[in-house]
Amino acid sequence: MKLIKLTAISAAVLASTAALAAEPVIVVDNNDAMAYEAQPVAVAYEAEPVAVAYEAEPAPSYAYNADAGVLSNTTGAVLGGTKTLFQTAINPASVSAEVGTLGYGANVAWSMNEKTELQAGWAGGDVADLFGGDFDANDVNYDVDADFSNPYLGVQYRPVANWFTMGAGIIVPDNDIDVTANSKGGTYKINDVSYNADDVGTLQGTLEHRNKLAPYATIGFRPNITNNFGVFGEIGAAYMGKTDATVNARNPGNPVDISNGVTDVPSGLNAGQVAKLAEQELEDKDYLEWFPIVKVGATYRF
């Protein structure tokens, strides 16, 4: 019995210590000694549930830069700047109304970062009066009637992230320019030769620039009045290319007298031939080959 009691006590001790589980234990009863190898006891612990905290991804934060006049995302960095592609497509930074040498129009802009905006716009209409309504091609004066259509894509860049801007882009011109020649003193003077205006009749024509895509560049300013409203102005030029001219006389077969007594001009000219001479002179003028860009406008920023 004594041996059994000692054995029970030893087993309890073995169960309470993990260190003794791996070592043999000797139990002594008078002169008898017996060795027991303790078996490790598996103790089950119920794991407490662990709460894992996940930090929510912050929503894009857009900050308005009053000096630069742009909206910027202070967290993301897509397209080298501030908005994701989807956000950029559906959330324009601003809309603008404009008037200038290209016409009356509007544009939408997308802010890529605090220095760069992409623009898509259109300007057009009858803006001939902005150029004075007439021009001279050598000695012939022409009245101008214009119907402009100038869609464009461009970039506005703020080199020092303030109101000063530099712009560049492409215009897709579709401009109708109609001209009507004005006689002076009853004559049309073409290549230093005066032709009787009554014989020639009315000379009317059209001008068309050859470039189907016209690159442009501007510099300007875009100060802001409030967080949402601003104004802008730009100056620059677009290369429209050389011009193709067409000039027609109302009665092309009508014979024309030379009114200034010049004798080295072939006789027997008719009004149609005089119109072709005026056409060539008009093409040589290359009217608005470098098209001036002057515009002002107002902007609303979202």
Side-chain angles (χ1 to χ4, degrees), residues 1-15 19-29 32-40:
M1 282 300 289
K2 194 172 186 179
L3 177 61
I4 294 173
K5 291 179 180 180
L6 290 174
T7 303
I9 293 171
S10 299
V13 173
L14 290 173
L20 294 177
E23 298 294 332
V25 179
I26 301 174
V27 180
V28 179
D29 182 23
D32 298 325
M34 297 185 68
Y36 296 89
E37 182 176 343
Q39 296 297 322

Side-chain angles (χ1 to χ4, degrees), residues 88-100:
T88 299
I90 67 172
N91 294 312
S94 65
V95 294
S96 302
E98 64 182 58
V99 59

Side-chain angles (χ1 to χ4, degrees), residues 175-195:
N175 300 325
D176 296 327
I177 303 173
D178 298 324
V179 295
T180 302
N182 297 312
S183 62
K184 292 182 180 179
T187 64
Y188 295 113
K189 190 174 183 180
I190 303 172
N191 294 330
D192 296 325
V193 177
S194 297
Y195 300 94

Side-chain angles (χ1 to χ4, degrees), residues 1-238:
M1 282 300 289
K2 194 172 186 179
L3 177 61
I4 294 173
K5 291 179 180 180
L6 290 174
T7 303
I9 293 171
S10 299
V13 173
L14 290 173
S16 63
T17 173
L20 294 177
E23 298 294 332
V25 179
I26 301 174
V27 180
V28 179
D29 182 23
N30 292 335
N31 296 322
D32 298 325
M34 297 185 68
Y36 296 89
E37 182 176 343
Q39 296 297 322
V41 178
V43 181
Y45 295 92
E46 182 177 354
E48 289 294 327
V50 179
V52 180
Y54 294 93
E55 182 177 353
E57 189 72 22
S61 175
Y62 296 96
Y64 176 75
N65 185 327
D67 292 330
V70 297
L71 292 175
S72 62
N73 178 337
T74 59
T75 58
V78 177
L79 295 179
T82 59
K83 291 185 179 181
T84 66
L85 287 171
F86 181 73
Q87 289 169 332
T88 299
I90 67 172
N91 294 312
S94 65
V95 294
S96 302
E98 64 182 58
V99 59
T101 53
L102 290 173
Y104 309 90
N107 68 64
V108 180
W110 291 267
S111 176
M112 306 309 295
N113 52 52
E114 66 178 10
K115 290 186 176 182
T116 308
E117 284 185 347
L118 300 182
Q119 284 186 334
W122 178 90
D126 184 359
V127 294
D129 288 342
L130 295 175
F131 299 99
D134 68 315
F135 70 98
D136 292 328
N138 290 337
D139 293 318
V140 180
N141 179 263
Y142 290 90
D143 286 332
V144 180
D145 183 20
D147 185 12
F148 283 4
S149 178
N150 292 297
Y152 62 87
L153 293 173
V155 176
Q156 284 290 328
Y157 180 64
R158 302 169 185 265
V160 289
N162 64 1
W163 55 266
F164 175 71
T165 62
M166 301 172 63
I170 292 291
I171 300 171
V172 186
D174 185 14
N175 300 325
D176 296 327
I177 303 173
D178 298 324
V179 295
T180 302
N182 297 312
S183 62
K184 292 182 180 179
T187 64
Y188 295 113
K189 190 174 183 180
I190 303 172
N191 294 330
D192 296 325
V193 177
S194 297
Y195 300 94
N196 190 292
D198 291 335
D199 295 338
V200 175
T202 302
L203 291 176
Q204 292 182 318
T206 61
L207 290 173
E208 182 179 359
H209 291 102
R210 297 175 186 175
N211 282 6
K212 303 305 179 186
L213 295 175
Y216 74 86
T218 63
I219 58 172
F221 65 95
R222 290 178 175 263
N224 295 285
I225 300 172
T226 68
N227 283 356
N228 296 107
F229 288 97
V231 295
F232 68 89
E234 293 179 46
I235 59 172

Side-chain angles (χ1 to χ4, degrees), residues 231-288:
V231 295
F232 68 89
E234 293 179 46
I235 59 172
Y239 183 67
M240 295 290 188
K242 295 184 178 297
T243 56
D244 292 322
T246 301
V247 177
N248 296 304
R250 178 172 296 178
N251 298 305
N254 207 42
V256 177
D257 288 335
I258 298 171
S259 64
N260 62 352
V262 176
T263 59
D264 59 350
V265 177
S267 59
L269 287 177
N270 58 36
Q273 291 171 307
V274 174
K276 292 302 177 186
L277 292 173
E279 180 178 287
Q280 184 59 54
E281 192 173 69
L282 194 55
E283 283 192 352
D284 292 342
K285 172 70 175 178
D286 282 331
Y287 178 64
L288 298 179

